[in-house]
Amino acid sequence: MKLWKRMGLNFVFVIIVCILITGFISNLMVDKKFDAYLYEQNKNTIEKIKELINEVYIDDTSISRSEERMIMEFCTMENLFIEIKNTNGDIIFSSGKEHIIQNKMMPMMGRNMMRKFKSEFLDEFTEEKYEIKNDNILLGEVTLGYYGASNITEKDIEFKETLIKSFAISMSIALIFGLGFSVFLSKQLTIPILEVNTAANEIRKGNFKVRSKSKTNTLELVQLSDSINYLAESLENQDMLRKRMTSDMAHEIRTPLTTLQNHIEAFLDGIWEPSKDKLESCHEEVLRLTKLVENLKNIASLEEASLNLNRIEFDLVEEAGKLVNLYEPQFNKKHIGVSYESNVESLNVFMDKDKIRQIIINLLSNSLRYTEEQGWVKIKIESVKENINIIVEDSGIGIPKEDIPYIFERFYRSDYSRDRATGATGIGLAITKALVIAHGGSIMVESEVNKGSKFIIVFPK
Ligand code: ADP
């Protein structure tokens, strides 16, 4: 079942249940109050008629014509049956019962709903007898008769009818409104989900460029949409990297192979003498290939890095200093100034010494590789509150903004470095990052083209 249908049905069910409960409870309350009101009215009327009869009868124990008319009028108005007897049992006055029934039947014609309602009042005929006394002397007897709350007027019935009608109307309005609203709301929720679904299907087909553009302000749906977009973006990047990596690898391998092939063919054809120079150049190409294969092996062992940390205690400040000294001649050769500083004299750490050395060497050799002559490179070890920072900064060629998110990926090389015959393979930073993460640290880079780069590694103490 579609979501909007399911939600719509649930909504309708809840609305109907709520309406029924509300209707039932309020009807019950109104009924109770109304009955109490009718009962009260009835009592008042009966008291009134009693007073009236006492007044006219006590004076001369008879009823004149005009008094008779007055009582009759009262009976008609209040739908009462009245019979007055003297002490001998003779009927002095009787209103008869016709007017009551007639009066009650009239408004019932053609009103089904009313009929049921009114019959409640017509069902039982109640008779009440009471004696007329003056100073404890019995003067006569009065019989009062009425159907249920016989004095119920047309207005009273109309009032109750209006109440029932207004309940019915408000129930219908609530139902229509609720139905409309539930369809609207469920559609509101469904549309973004459908959009995300469409995007997910596109991703499944391999179209990583697709993005879910659902416009919704429902937090969970926004998050869902963002997640799908993030997934698409990651897959797109991975796809791009994979393609780039394959072509890079092919290129890297093809170059030395072609050189070797050309050289060997030249030897075989007798064009070249296998002189020391030529053989050395072949050897270089073989070395390049070996390095490449070595790097591939490194990649394979990247994942294992985090598992195989051989932690020992050593002085990081001292170790970094040794590496700077080791590399200084190469920097000097390129006329690059190297400086090394630390905010502490010594810093004992419990880390994998070889891997930390490799991290620093990778960053140093990148700085050496990507910094022009007369540039500078700074290495800093910082011990701050809860962290140890290793910072390598240079005044080199910098990294284009669009490349920064990828430089830690395997085989990624910015076009800048690609253009240069640096002999780089685009794996150094991937290894560096894996080693940093294995130690629970993180690596960041700030860089600007033609200004320089700053690599910051943070290890928790
Ligand atoms: P590579 O073997 O190409 O140096 P890395 O993984 O070490 O591989 O670096 C990836 C890419 O990041 C490099 O190709 C280069 O474009 C860029 N890069 C790394 N370090 C620096 C730096 N210090 N200055 C400028 N660019 C750098």
Side-chain angles (χ1 to χ4, degrees):
M1 190 185 271
K2 288 195 167 164
L3 181 65
W4 74 267
K5 266 191 196 163
R6 162 146 296 176
M7 286 188 68
L9 280 179
N10 285 344
F11 264 118
V12 169
F13 176 72
V14 171
I15 290 167
I16 291 178
V17 169
C18 287
I19 287 175
L20 286 180
I21 292 174
T22 325
F24 179 73
I25 292 176
S26 38
N27 229 350
L28 208 75
M29 302 288 273
V30 169
D31 254 5
K32 243 182 165 181
K33 280 270 168 215
F34 195 69
D35 286 350
Y37 158 78
L38 288 182
Y39 180 75
E40 200 55 37
Q41 284 281 95
N42 206 22
K43 242 171 73 181
N44 288 344
T45 316
I46 288 167
E47 281 312 311
K48 249 192 245 165
I49 195 84
K50 276 183 183 171
E51 271 172 34
L52 180 74
I53 292 170
N54 281 0
E55 257 173 43
V56 297
Y57 191 78
I58 287 168
D59 290 346
D60 54 1
T61 61
S62 70
I63 291 172
S64 69
R65 284 240 162 252
S66 65
E67 284 165 347
E68 226 171 65
R69 225 179 296 127
M70 195 174 74
I71 299 173
M72 192 60 211
E73 250 172 42
F74 195 89
C75 287
T76 319
M77 205 169 72
E78 301 291 348
N79 299 311
L80 283 172
F81 162 72
I82 294 176
E83 203 174 64
I84 304 169
K85 286 181 189 164
N86 63 16
T87 37
N88 299 331
D90 305 327
I91 295 172
I92 290 175
F93 170 86
S94 175
S95 69
K97 287 175 186 170
E98 295 77 20
H99 66 281
I100 309 175
I101 296 165
Q102 248 186 8
N103 219 0
K104 283 296 172 190
M105 293 308 275
M106 279 258 281
M108 260 185 261
M109 313 280 232
R111 286 179 174 185
N112 272 339
M113 218 175 90
M114 286 290 288
R115 185 169 299 149
K116 190 181 166 281
F117 175 62
K118 277 189 183 166
S119 65
E120 284 172 31
F121 302 98
L122 291 172
D123 275 345
E124 33 168 318
F125 184 76
T126 321
E127 271 191 0
E128 247 178 55
K129 284 187 194 322
Y130 76 96
E131 293 165 337
I132 311 172
K133 282 181 182 169
N134 193 14
D135 293 336
N136 272 342
I137 302 161
L138 187 67
L139 300 175
E141 190 194 53
V142 178
T143 308
L144 279 173
Y146 48 85
Y147 279 106
S150 82
N151 63 329
I152 184 169
T153 61
E154 188 61 18
K155 281 240 154 27
D156 294 336
I157 291 168
E158 241 176 60
F159 171 72
K160 194 155 181 192
E161 189 192 33
T162 315
L163 264 182
I164 292 173
K165 259 192 200 158
S166 52
F167 274 135
I169 291 172
S170 46
M171 275 183 203
S172 317
I173 291 176
L175 196 64
I176 292 168
F177 180 74
L179 250 171
F181 186 68
S182 66
V183 170
F184 169 76
L185 196 74
S186 42
K187 285 255 177 201
Q188 280 273 95
L189 291 176
T190 318
I191 290 169
I193 293 178
L194 284 180
E195 276 169 1
V196 170
N197 191 33
T198 314
N201 274 333
E202 283 296 309
I203 294 172
R204 200 176 61 179
K205 285 182 207 153
N207 176 12
F208 303 136
K209 292 222 171 331
V210 74
R211 294 290 180 274
S212 148
K213 291 185 199 80
S214 59
K215 284 179 200 72
T216 171
N217 48 13
T218 311
L219 181 67
E220 287 81 357
L221 292 178
V222 172
Q223 285 171 343
L224 179 67
S225 174
D226 285 352
S227 304
I228 277 287
N229 287 343
Y230 180 75
L231 180 71
E233 202 177 314
S234 317
L235 286 173
E236 192 185 0
N237 289 342
Q238 289 295 327
D239 194 46
M240 191 265 284
L241 281 173
R242 190 174 49 81
K243 284 180 184 149
R244 201 165 168 162
M245 180 173 136
T246 320
S247 79
D248 280 4
M249 288 286 297
H251 176 81
E252 298 289 332
I253 293 173
R254 198 180 332 110
T255 320
L257 276 183
T258 317
T259 319
L260 273 177
Q261 186 189 357
N262 290 343
H263 282 25
I264 291 169
E265 276 172 7
F267 291 147
L268 288 175
D269 294 347
I271 301 170
W272 273 359
E273 282 293 309
S275 67
K276 191 170 180 262
D277 271 11
K278 304 275 190 284
L279 284 174
E280 259 173 9
S281 122
C282 284
H283 185 234
E284 257 172 41
E285 294 305 322
V286 172
L287 284 183
R288 264 189 80 180
L289 273 175
T290 317
K291 194 176 159 200
L292 212 76
V293 174
E294 191 63 28
N295 276 339
L296 282 176
K297 206 182 93 205
N298 279 342
I299 296 173
S301 61
L302 262 184
E303 271 75 33
E304 290 166 33
S306 58
L307 302 173
N308 302 322
L309 283 186
N310 181 21
R311 286 178 191 267
I312 52 164
E313 205 178 311
F314 65 95
D315 183 355
L316 180 66
V317 174
E318 187 192 329
E319 207 53 45
K322 275 189 203 163
L323 286 174
V324 174
N325 286 339
L326 192 71
Y327 273 78
E328 207 166 0
Q330 293 187 46
F331 282 105
N332 288 343
K333 218 164 119 190
K334 221 176 152 186
H335 303 289
I336 297 172
V338 203
S339 67
Y340 172 53
E341 58 181 272
S342 165
N343 68 348
V344 281
E345 285 257 312
S346 68
L347 183 59
N348 275 348
V349 292
F350 187 64
M351 290 168 144
D352 188 320
K353 191 167 153 185
D354 286 341
K355 287 181 175 132
I356 296 297
R357 275 172 62 96
Q358 198 182 342
I359 290 171
I360 297 173
I361 290 171
N362 284 356
L363 293 184
L364 278 181
S365 46
N366 274 351
S367 289
L368 176 66
R369 192 178 289 145
Y370 300 113
T371 304
E372 311 279 14
E373 288 198 359
Q374 313 300 336
W376 51 260
V377 175
K378 282 184 203 160
I379 300 108
K380 214 194 260 177
I381 304 280
E382 281 178 353
S383 170
V384 287
K385 259 188 185 171
E386 282 155 10
N387 296 326
I388 294 166
N389 302 337
I390 302 177
I391 301 164
V392 178
E393 196 177 353
D394 62 47
S395 64
I397 59 170
I399 307 162
K401 240 197 185 103
E402 61 273 17
D403 284 335
I404 290 184
Y406 305 113
I407 56 164
F408 296 104
E409 302 286 345
R410 294 154 201 188
F411 295 108
Y412 194 92
R413 294 166 60 193
S414 77
D415 289 337
Y416 260 93
S417 67
R418 201 181 296 269
D419 288 346
R420 288 148 208 261
T422 53
T425 51
I427 185 153
L429 284 180
I431 293 175
T432 308
K433 188 177 176 182
L435 297 179
V436 169
I437 288 175
H439 281 89
S442 59
I443 181 164
M444 287 151 280
V445 62
E446 294 164 8
S447 186
E448 213 176 307
V449 171
N450 292 331
K451 284 242 168 92
S453 315
K454 186 177 181 182
F455 285 85
I456 305 152
I457 296 172
V458 180
F459 289 116
K461 268 185 184 161

